[in-house]
Amino acid sequence: MVNQSEEIHSFDEKKEPYNSSTFNNDIEEIPNNEENSPELIAAEKSLLWKLDFLYVMPCIAILNFLQFFDKSALNYSALLGIKEDTNITDSQFGWLGSIFYLGYLLYQVPNTFFLQRLPIGKYVGTLIVTWGVVLTVTCVGKNFSQLAALRFLLGFFEAGIYPCCMMIISSMYRRHEQAGRIGCVYICNGLAMAVGGLVSYGIGHMMGVRGMNAWQWIMIILGSVTIAFGIFCFFLLVDNPKSKFLRLTPDEKKVVELRTIDNSTIITREIKFHHMLEALKEPRYYCFIFASLLYNLQNGALNTFSSIITAGFGFSNLNAILLSVPSGVVDCIYIAFAVWYNRRYGQSLHLASILLVIAIVGLLLLVVIPVPQIKLLGLYMCWSFAASYTLFLTSLTNNVSGYTKKIFYSSSVMVFYTFGNFAGPQMMVPSQKPLYLGGMIGYMAADVVCIILLQIARYCMAKTNKQRLDNPSSEKVDVNDDLTDVENPHFIYRL
């Protein structure tokens, strides 16, 4: 693919001098005459329709909807009797939010191995069924120890899902298409928040049905749906652009080869340790992993405490759950705007930084303004960080090439994602509720540092782009060699 934002030229073609405006847009163009043929254009449209509406994105969307809803069940349960039924304190409740991510963290190393060695579809299906069983069993938890063990297991088995989704998207879609699909993943999180508020509000009226409390019904209903979907994914999830389920025509098979060249991701079972070493030598690697940690401090807190925070504004428990619906809607709007802007104008990391500024303003409103309605507005503004994180992940998938290196980057980011989500709830000190002043100030500081890290990473990539465009290489490379973005002298970073 060649576009106005990144001119990826054929290997024998003379390149134009570097111009910073080269990286400002995201308008698709055609890489060569063969791909420009009417037959292949029509074949690509047909293939995209299959991927987007039949075989790939519907499964990924439902998967992420359930994954977010399932891990957020604790948030709704806080107002539906779980603390009273199990005799846990506010501090212990915070630990239930954190310990989920301890399980998440410990699974990252085996996940990196399994991700490269196992068929992703079968692997994902197994994980979904397992965590669905764990969530269902949570309904019988009687005390903090039992709930902590179950939350740990839930995090452990959910941990492999995001890296699997990112790998599927990066191997099935062109680089310029990935932002929209990753945005879809995170929009599903917002939908889960909105629908989850409505569903939990309804389940909140099931107090005493069959002798169980409402929070127990949340676990049973969500767990059962998750198990059923996991079985479906085990047999039918498409995880390879050449999957037999896609029923590719001869023209579509040619398109798949051309798209593979563009997205620079060749699926291989070989673990290349020099890819990992290369990543460890890059400054942007450390910018990305520490930015992931800082992003997710407030993510862990909001996913666990948002209903409690809202109730602290003076609303009843059920109304506080209902007021989580606008949070999900606003989250979707932020992400949809970010994806649209990124596709039209580019500049993903600049926009990610601006969205973090909006989150900082929201946190300030929570801390400074005493009016409940203004605090609620501030809470809704805070969710702009989710759109920023979506653009951050888009930058990651677009700008790391080499299968092992991409997995290593993604897994490292997930490790620090768990650090942030683990530490975030611990910053919400019970003695400071309902304002949680210390935590809010900490999240604001984290967002500021995160902005700085994103800009450093962008500078590093822009510098390499300038060097490559000013001094073009005549070396010919084969995409099947599974080269990294450093090894491939024609790789241009998307900023």
Side-chain angles (χ1 to χ4, degrees), residues 21 29 77 108 167 169 177 282 304 320 354 437 447 481:
S21 65
E29 294 179 8
S77 298
Q108 293 307 314
M167 291 309 299
I169 289 173
E177 296 167 348
E282 296 176 349
T304 304
I354 292 171
L437 179 62
D447 287 345
D481 290 338

Side-chain angles (χ1 to χ4, degrees), residues 11 257 260-262 264-266 477-483:
F11 302 140
E257 296 297 333
T260 299
I261 293 172
D262 178 58
S264 303
T265 301
I266 300 297
V477 298
D478 184 351
V479 68
N480 293 309
D481 290 338
D482 188 32
L483 300 177

